[in-house]
Amino acid sequence: MRRYGHHRLHGKQGGLKGMVGKLSIAVVVLLICTLCLLYSATTIGGGHGSYSPSKINVEELWGSAKSGGWRPSSAPRSVWPPPPRESNGYLRVRCNGGLNQQRTAICNAVLAARIMNATLVLPELDANSFWHDDSGFQGIYDVEHFIQTLRYDVQIVESIPEIHKNGKTKKIKAYQLRPPRDAPISWYLTEAMEQMKKHGAIYLTPFSHRLAEEIDNPEYQRLRCRVNYHALRFKPNIMKLSELIVDKLRAEGHFMSIHLRFEMDMLAFAGCFDIFKPEQQRILKKYREENFKEKKLVYKERRAIGKCPLTPEEVGLILRAMGFNNSTKIYLAAGELFGGEKFMKPFRALFPHLENHSSVDPSEELVTNTRGLLGSAVDYMVCLLSDIFMPTYDGPSNFANNLLGHRLYYGFRTTIRPDRKGLAPIFIDRENGRTAGFEEAVRHVMLKTNFGGPHKRVPPESFYTNSWPECFCQISAQNPTDECPPDNVLDILNSRLESEARSNSQSLTQGNFSTSILER
């Protein structure tokens, strides 16, 4: 038998080729069978498609996301002259909406003033009917820090000065204009500029989303980041209160913050009524009729494409599937949750260590302002400083969008952004009794999401949600446009500012400037 075998191995080439061919076929068949077996094992009972078993490293999520060599940088990288001593006039704006919508409006106002070479009057914050809060800019933000930080960019005054002429005092009346939504730069340089030069001051109201976000000028975008992430600092009492809450939460280790957007206004906006009792549905429908344009919305259709806010229970199930256990400490940033304890009970059963600003610090200052701008500002800071932030409905939410952008700039801090569209069929299957493979399916969807690292901005993602790459630089950049500015950039800017001051030492004083406006 050995001689036979030996003789066959050294026989005709055709016999050798035949054997190799048969072996190749056998290997291919075995491979196909193995793949089919794996496919069957992962799809039995799940109904969520085929994928390999996956695992999320929770311990890694408690740290920051990988930066890829990028770091935040909003300092100018090209010639950036200081604001001239004599401007074209005064710019007043009224920022409407909630705290975070107002925040983006302030960033736009500073940029508009720079574009127009205007003196910015400290932005007015709308005391809207929802917040019932008239704190104003001075009651929320550190005014001195705001003006000082932006001294290289725009001139800022707290109010339009009065004109003193021939022993008489007169106020400059700002001409009121309503800017178009997402107005281009050209509108500010033509229509707005014309009225400013004619009247000496203009008043833009309302001023929410009144300047285009996507501007093909990186320096203008970096100015927005300087305003948002450096100049806009909350008042010391708000910062102190926020840090106190963070210290208490972190006393026992890591903590996560969640923006639980399961509130009446967002549910009404989304048109997601069917999970509520008839009386609650009537409340939501009435709110929608009074506050939003008429539109036919079918719950099942909205639910199927991820247009409904996640319920508290769904949030808990996502976190459990990702590997977070019931000892996880969670800070809830939310207004009044709609639907009551019925919707919170399943979430609390999964994660009993839930806190909010009132439970962590029941001080009188917070208790009396939980619905006001102070409570929103504290929530913002706690979410910014938390180890992990999870928005549950980030699309139309200014709070979540701004925080995502701020945390990205703050050092790529971890965010968990549920893909509602990808998760919707998994949750619908679970509701219909098909629970096998549920957690694996959730992990499969979540592994495809970005956990806070640098990534390309794709519409409809907002610049305020993702300012990469304009407001970031690369330590070892291959592209010159991504290089970091020199370490002494502030010295350079300060030198230019002092040079401008010296060259204008004989220019008009503020009073003479006001007089020249009156005489136009």
Side-chain angles (χ1 to χ4, degrees), residues 62 249 253-260 312 315-317 319-320 324-333 344 347-348 350-357 359-360 382-383 386 388-390 392:
W62 288 117
L249 289 167
H254 299 298
F255 79 96
M256 174 192 303
S257 61
I258 297 178
H259 186 220
L260 200 56
V315 174
L317 290 170
L319 292 175
R320 268 300 173 86
F324 293 96
N325 60 37
N326 62 2
S327 66
T328 305
K329 182 164 283 189
I330 296 175
Y331 178 88
L332 294 179
M344 277 302 296
F347 185 34
R348 192 174 283 108
L350 290 167
F351 293 95
H353 300 284
L354 301 178
E355 303 277 6
N356 59 31
H357 56 225
S359 65
V360 177
V382 175
C383 289
S386 64
I388 297 173
F389 172 61
M390 180 182 184
T392 62

Side-chain angles (χ1 to χ4, degrees), residues 356-368:
N356 59 31
H357 56 225
S358 297
S359 65
V360 177
D361 190 288
S363 63
E364 184 179 347
E365 186 178 17
L366 263 181
V367 170
T368 55

Side-chain angles (χ1 to χ4, degrees), residues 148-161:
Q148 179 70 8
T149 303
L150 296 172
R151 67 189 182 279
Y152 306 116
D153 306 301
V154 291
Q155 291 187 62
I156 304 172
V157 295
E158 294 195 37
S159 60
I160 299 177

Side-chain angles (χ1 to χ4, degrees), residues 426-485:
I426 301 171
F427 281 118
I428 290 170
D429 277 355
R430 184 179 181 275
E431 290 165 10
N432 292 327
R434 296 189 291 274
T435 58
F438 170 77
E439 290 198 347
E440 181 61 37
V442 170
R443 283 194 292 273
H444 177 66
V445 171
M446 293 305 298
L447 276 167
K448 293 180 180 179
T449 63
N450 182 284
F451 289 110
H455 60 283
K456 186 178 180 181
R457 185 169 67 251
V458 178
E461 190 174 36
S462 164
F463 174 80
Y464 291 103
T465 302
N466 178 12
S467 59
W468 185 88
E470 294 94 335
C471 295
F472 295 82
C473 66
Q474 208 165 20
I475 299 163
S476 301
Q478 294 181 348
N479 189 337
T481 59
D482 297 330
E483 290 179 357
C484 294

Side-chain angles (χ1 to χ4, degrees), residues 94-98 101-102 105 124-126 128 206-208 210:
R94 181 176 67 85
C95 305
N96 56 307
Q101 185 169 305
Q102 292 172 353
E124 301 169 19
L125 305 188
D126 185 21
N128 60 67
F207 199 72
S208 169
R210 302 295 158 167

